[in-house]
C-alpha cells in the first residue's frame, strides 16, 4: 500500500478498504457483510471529525507515534479520551456501536486499521453537523474539541 492509494474520507483523513468479508449476517432487518477493514491515515494537521457508525468499530495502531481517540455515548456528562500509542502501550480500542467518535494524531502521520462488524456501509455513517444540538452538547463538555466538529 502507498499513501497515494488512500482516498479522502468525509470525516477527514484518508482511507483504503482492504477487506470486505464474503460472508453475510442479518443485523436487525438488514443483511450485512460480516466484517470490513480499512487503513485510515491522518496527517499532523488533519483530524477525524466527530461521527458515528451503527456497529462496533475496532481501532488498531499500525504506524506513527499514535493518536487520541475520543468517544461519547451522546448522553453522559463526560467525554472519554483514549491514547493509542507505543508510549501508553495501548494499541487497540473498541468504539461501541452508536457512540460519537473523533481522532487527532499525537504528532506526525499516523496509520491505523479500523474494523467494523457487521461491516461498514456509508448509509450507517453519520457525520456531526456543526451547530446541531449534539455538536453544542459536545462543546459544553469540552470547548477544546471545537476543531473536531
Amino acid at each position: 500500500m502507498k499513501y497515494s492509494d488512500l482516498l479522502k474520507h468525509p470525516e477527514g483523513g484518508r482511507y483504503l478498504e482492504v477487506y470486505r468479508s464474503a460472508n453475510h449476517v442479518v443485523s436487525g432487518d438488514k443483511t450485512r457483510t460480516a466484517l470490513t477493514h480499512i487503513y485510515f491515515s491522518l496527517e499532523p494537521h488533519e483530524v477525524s471529525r466527530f461521527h458515528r457508525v451503527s456497529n462496533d468499530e475496532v481501532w488498531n495502531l499500525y504506524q506513527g507515534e499514535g493518536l487520541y481517540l475520543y468517544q461519547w455515548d451522546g448522553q453522559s456528562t463526560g467525554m472519554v479520551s483514549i491514547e493509542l500509542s507505543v508510549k501508553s502501550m495501548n494499541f487497540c480500542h473498541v468504539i461501541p456501536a452508536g457512540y460519537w467518535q473523533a481522532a487527532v494524531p499525537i504528532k506526525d502521520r499516523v496509520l491505523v486499521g479500523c474494523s467494523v462488524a457487521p461491516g461498514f456501509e456509508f448509509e450507517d455513517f453519520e457525520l456531526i453537523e456543526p451547530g446541531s444540538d449534539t455538536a453544542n452538547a459536545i462543546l459544553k463538555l469540552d470547548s477544546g474539541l471545537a476543531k473536531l466538529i
Side-chain angles (χ1 to χ4, degrees), residues 17-37:
E17 184 175 273
V18 294
Y19 181 75
R20 181 169 287 271
S21 177
N23 295 317
H24 291 85
V25 296
V26 175
S27 178
D29 60 347
K30 298 178 181 178
T31 300
R32 292 279 192 239
T33 298
L35 174 72
T36 56
H37 185 78

Side-chain angles (χ1 to χ4, degrees), residues 8-15 38 40-42 46-53 57 59 69 101-103 112 114 120 122 125-128 147-149:
K8 286 187 179 182
H9 199 291
E11 75 197 46
R14 299 184 180 286
Y15 79 102
I38 64 168
F40 182 73
S41 178
L42 291 169
E46 294 179 312
V47 299
S48 166
R49 293 176 42 220
F50 273 105
H51 64 284
R52 62 182 174 180
V53 295
E57 182 168 2
W59 288 66
L69 187 58
Q101 58 181 297
V112 297
C114 296
F120 177 83
F122 270 104
F125 172 84
E126 182 181 358
L127 190 60
I128 199 163
K147 66 182 177 184
L148 302 177
I149 292 178

